[in-house]
Amino acid sequence: MLSPENDLEIRNQQYFNNEINLKEISYLILRNKKIIILFSIIGFLFGVINALSTPRQWQGQFQIAIDNKSDSLNVPSLDLNSRLSNLLPITGRQSSLETEVEILSSPSVLIEVFNYVKSQKNKDKSKAGQVFRFDSWKKNLSIELVKKTSILNLEYIDQDKELIIPVLNKISNKYQKYSGKKREKNLTRGINYYKNQIELYREKSNNSIKEAEEYAISNDLMMIPKFKDSKDKGSSVVSPLALNVELLRVEAASEIRFFSEMLKQLDLYESNPDEIVSFANSLGIKDSFLINDIKKNESELTRLRETYLDNDILVQSALSRKKVLLNALLKLLRDDLNAKRNLAKAKLNSSERPEGVLNKFRLLQGNVIKDQNTLAILEAEYRGLELEFAKIKEPWELITEPTLTPNPVGQSRKSITALGLITGLLTGLSIAFIKEKRTGAIFKLSEFEAAFDDKNTELIKYNKNQNWENFFQAISLINLAKLENDFCLFFIGNFIDNAEDEIYKQICKYKNSKNVKKTNILVEAINYDNILVISSLGRTKRDYFEFINKKFKKINKKPIGLIVVDQINK
């Protein structure tokens, strides 16, 4: 972790480096101001010409609601859960909005609008003969869905301000016609489809009914229709049919079981003759002469017992007659029940058919049911389509009317001019930078410091009209006063206005009886132990300066300092 002192030093160094970079950039601009100003003017003029020559573009827009529900067929009677509805060309499913937008952008919808724009453009003589294609014109159209809605936002851009509103009106009318046309086309196609299917299934149903009836007649069979539910009395959909022989067999078997049970009960009444009359009455034999005789005998027996004892001959005679009458009634009831059971057995036998007859008839019966149900569904859906077709066709709703923006769109003339100026300025800076790089000279103090590898570097802005006596006096007293031997002023680069002579003259004033050698030849300079390097900013070749520095290092010579003379940055 850095201490506060080190952190402050690093920040100060960063600030110093940034300040140097800004100064070097400003110096670059000042040194090459003619080139930069020239290219800035050229860029500005180019921007003005481009701004004036670029036609203004205008924009108009409108919004329309894509009602996909109106395009799909909303038929209440349509059974979408049936397997048949999945085979139909029209269903209640909504089309993809993205697909709808692509269709609305296609030539099939917009070609008439494009031809109108093309004809209007051809009236302009200045544009006569120009190739005008749909794809290039379509780029002026922006057709997008508003996010998470079915609202379509359409924008149109054109250089002809007067043409925008008519074009938008034609597009909106075309979209509204398209919505009604598409719906009508789907309904017509659906109605035609149902007509063909109804004719096909009506014929198929008639044939299946005819085949089933012929087979039923030849085998003494009959179909008994019944509805699914009492609530569906108005429904024409038929449930599975019941066979007459099946109903007869069930009824006969039930009667056989009933009469057999009655015979068992009758056998129990033999030990209790008094209950036989009640049993006969329960079977509905109330007016029989035999029962009347039994009732008369019972009355006579009651009267005799009031006068005579049970062992009297008259009472005994009445009891014997009662027994005879009850036995006769018992035989009559048994014969009647046996006759009815035999009749039920005959019914059961008559309901039997050869093996396979009933199965085949059920198969024919199932075909009849399927064909009739399919026909009923088709007819119901066909009526629903006819009702839908008869409704008023509402087109897609316009959310906003076509409007024209009050101001031109795209880049303004000011921004185009400013862009030209900026482009020219940057071009001038780039050329100035490249030009200085190609000279191979050193224009930055930092490059001298990096190559010299010494912090003992001084920069002076040299001007021959300026008094530099104090500066060189300080240099002599600080850097040269402690030197014991003679020293050399090694000049590197080209100087103007005899600057090297003036510098030599100023330093010699404070030489303190030491000999001072002035030279620009490396061989002469290396003969001295004390060398003060003086170089010219912007007039010293980078390669030569680095070469000198390498030679110093090779012979282990370290100059006592570096003075960089700036004669190029005013």
Side-chain angles (χ1 to χ4, degrees):
M1 184 174 178
L2 296 175
S3 63
E5 293 79 5
N6 292 336
D7 185 53
L8 179 60
E9 183 179 353
I10 291 174
R11 291 184 180 180
N12 291 335
Q13 184 63 34
Q14 290 176 347
Y15 176 79
F16 179 73
N17 292 336
N18 293 334
E19 185 178 6
I20 291 177
N21 291 334
L22 291 176
K23 282 184 177 181
E24 290 175 351
I25 294 173
S26 64
Y27 288 153
L28 173 66
I29 295 174
L30 292 174
R31 289 194 302 268
N32 300 276
K33 57 180 176 292
K34 292 182 179 180
I35 295 176
I36 295 173
I37 291 174
L38 175 62
F39 278 93
S40 297
I41 292 173
I42 294 173
F44 175 77
L45 293 176
F46 179 78
V48 171
I49 295 171
N50 189 28
L52 295 176
S53 61
T54 301
R56 291 192 173 187
Q57 291 186 326
W58 303 86
Q59 177 179 294
Q61 62 276 322
F62 70 85
Q63 287 184 330
I64 190 170
I66 302 179
D67 187 6
N68 247 15
K69 295 181 180 179
S70 63
D71 295 337
S72 60
L73 297 184
N74 183 21
V75 184
S77 62
L78 192 64
D79 183 10
L80 293 177
N81 293 323
S82 67
R83 287 180 295 175
L84 176 64
S85 62
N86 293 325
L87 303 176
L88 301 179
I90 303 172
T91 67
R93 303 184 183 97
Q94 295 188 8
S95 302
S96 169
L97 288 175
E98 289 78 7
T99 303
E100 200 74 65
V101 172
E102 289 301 319
I103 294 174
L104 295 175
S105 306
S106 65
S108 61
V109 178
L110 296 176
I111 192 63
E112 291 183 9
V113 181
F114 167 73
N115 290 332
Y116 168 76
V117 176
K118 186 176 181 180
S119 64
Q120 296 298 314
K121 297 288 185 182
N122 289 334
K123 291 180 181 180
D124 189 351
K125 294 182 180 180
S126 62
K127 298 180 181 179
Q130 292 184 359
V131 179
F132 196 61
R133 299 184 182 276
F134 179 84
D135 292 338
S136 60
W137 172 78
K138 185 183 172 183
K139 293 178 182 178
N140 296 332
L141 273 175
S142 173
I143 305 175
E144 296 179 350
L145 282 170
V146 178
K147 192 175 182 180
K148 296 183 180 180
T149 68
S150 60
I151 297 176
L152 190 69
N153 188 59
L154 187 142
E155 297 177 350
Y156 176 63
I157 297 176
D158 202 299
Q159 297 173 4
D160 189 349
K161 181 178 180 181
E162 303 300 328
L163 188 61
I164 290 179
I165 293 299
V167 169
L168 292 177
N169 285 330
K170 285 185 175 295
I171 293 175
S172 65
N173 292 335
K174 190 67 180 176
Y175 282 1
Q176 288 178 311
K177 288 181 181 179
Y178 165 79
S179 65
K181 183 179 179 181
K182 177 184 177 184
R183 181 177 179 277
E184 183 176 346
K185 180 180 178 181
N186 288 341
L187 285 169
T188 303
R189 184 175 60 177
I191 289 173
N192 292 334
Y193 175 84
Y194 279 109
K195 280 184 179 180
N196 295 332
Q197 293 299 311
I198 287 172
E199 292 178 3
L200 175 65
Y201 275 92
R202 183 175 285 123
E203 182 179 358
K204 189 175 181 181
S205 178
N206 291 336
N207 292 335
S208 61
I209 291 174
K210 182 179 179 182
E211 184 180 1
E213 285 181 345
E214 290 177 353
Y215 191 82
I217 292 172
S218 63
N219 291 277
D220 295 328
L221 299 173
M222 183 177 65
M223 297 178 293
I224 303 175
K226 54 183 178 180
F227 292 101
K228 291 182 178 179
D229 198 316
S230 60
K231 297 179 180 178
D232 300 331
K233 294 180 179 180
S235 173
S236 59
V237 178
V238 180
S239 67
L241 304 178
L243 291 173
N244 61 326
V245 293
E246 289 180 332
L247 296 177
L248 183 63
R249 179 179 58 80
V250 172
E251 181 182 356
S254 178
E255 289 179 355
I256 291 171
R257 286 194 296 271
F258 175 74
F259 291 127
S260 297
E261 187 64 27
M262 291 297 100
L263 288 171
K264 291 179 182 180
Q265 293 291 331
L266 189 61
D267 292 338
L268 296 175
Y269 293 144
E270 288 183 359
S271 58
N272 191 7
D274 294 336
E275 299 293 333
I276 295 177
V277 176
S278 299
F279 183 75
N281 290 331
S282 66
L283 293 177
I285 308 176
K286 297 180 179 180
D287 299 331
S288 173
F289 292 107
L290 188 58
I291 293 177
N292 292 332
D293 290 343
I294 292 174
K295 290 180 179 180
K296 290 178 181 180
N297 177 264
E298 187 69 27
S299 300
E300 180 66 19
L301 184 59
T302 301
R303 185 184 62 79
L304 291 173
R305 281 177 173 172
E306 290 177 353
T307 306
Y308 304 101
L309 296 175
D310 287 343
N311 57 3
D312 188 83
I313 189 170
L314 293 177
V315 175
Q316 290 295 321
S317 176
L319 289 173
S320 298
R321 180 172 175 76
K322 177 182 178 180
K323 185 177 181 180
V324 171
L325 290 174
L326 289 175
N327 289 334
L329 179 61
L330 184 65
K331 183 177 183 304
L332 175 65
L333 291 174
R334 182 175 283 109
D335 292 342
D336 182 67
L337 290 174
N338 283 324
K340 289 180 178 180
R341 185 173 65 175
N342 291 335
L343 179 62
K345 288 181 179 181
K347 287 183 181 180
L348 182 63
N349 292 334
S350 66
S351 66
E352 294 180 354
R353 294 291 184 274
E355 184 178 358
V357 171
L358 295 181
N359 289 335
K360 182 178 180 181
F361 186 69
R362 288 192 183 96
L363 179 62
L364 295 175
Q365 175 187 359
N367 293 336
V368 171
I369 293 171
K370 287 188 290 185
D371 293 341
Q372 285 185 333
N373 287 345
T374 301
L375 180 61
I377 292 173
L378 287 172
E379 289 176 342
E381 294 175 351
Y382 175 73
R383 287 191 295 270
L385 285 178
E386 286 187 323
L387 291 173
E388 190 74 12
F389 190 80
K391 291 180 181 179
I392 300 175
K393 305 173 185 65
E394 291 292 340
W396 289 344
E397 180 184 0
L398 275 177
I399 304 299
T400 60
E401 294 291 333
T403 56
L404 180 68
T405 55
N407 299 317
V409 296
Q411 280 189 314
S412 65
R413 291 179 176 178
K414 289 182 180 179
S415 62
I416 295 175
T417 304
L419 180 62
L421 177 61
I422 294 172
T423 303
L425 176 62
L426 294 177
T427 303
L429 285 171
S430 300
I431 292 175
F433 180 77
I434 293 171
K435 181 178 77 68
E436 291 191 350
K437 278 288 185 183
R438 285 184 175 180
T439 62
I442 301 176
F443 288 90
K444 299 178 182 179
L445 179 63
S446 58
E447 293 187 37
F448 280 106
E449 292 176 340
F452 193 65
D453 195 20
D454 195 338
K455 295 183 179 180
N456 192 14
T457 304
E458 298 288 345
L459 174 68
I460 61 172
K461 286 184 172 295
Y462 184 82
N463 189 338
K464 67 178 182 178
N465 298 323
Q466 188 173 354
N467 186 4
W468 294 100
E469 185 173 350
N470 294 331
F471 174 79
F472 288 108
Q473 182 181 6
I475 291 292
S476 300
L477 294 176
I478 296 173
N479 295 66
L480 307 178
K482 298 179 181 180
L483 299 178
E484 297 178 355
N485 301 322
D486 297 336
F487 62 90
C488 174
L489 299 180
F490 184 33
F491 289 89
I492 303 175
N494 299 320
F495 295 83
I496 59 176
D497 298 331
N498 297 319
E500 61 268 43
D501 295 335
E502 182 65 26
I503 294 172
Y504 176 73
K505 178 181 177 182
Q506 292 292 334
I507 291 178
C508 286
K509 289 181 180 181
Y510 310 101
K511 62 181 182 177
N512 294 329
S513 72
K514 298 183 181 67
N515 292 324
V516 179
K517 174 67 175 177
K518 170 194 169 189
T519 183
N520 57 3
I521 301 173
L522 177 62
V523 177
E524 295 179 357
I526 60 178
N527 292 324
Y528 290 84
D529 293 331
N530 301 314
I531 303 172
L532 178 61
V533 179
I534 302 174
S535 184
S536 178
L537 185 67
R539 296 177 180 275
T540 302
K541 297 296 183 179
R542 181 181 293 100
D543 296 341
Y544 182 65
F545 188 82
E546 292 176 351
F547 168 76
I548 295 297
N549 191 42
K550 288 180 181 178
K551 290 298 182 182
F552 281 151
K553 290 181 179 180
K554 188 174 182 181
I555 62 176
N556 200 20
K557 287 274 187 179
K558 186 175 182 182
I560 61 174
L562 171 66
I563 297 177
V564 179
V565 181
D566 183 3
Q567 293 182 286
I568 60 174
N569 296 317
K570 304 299 182 179

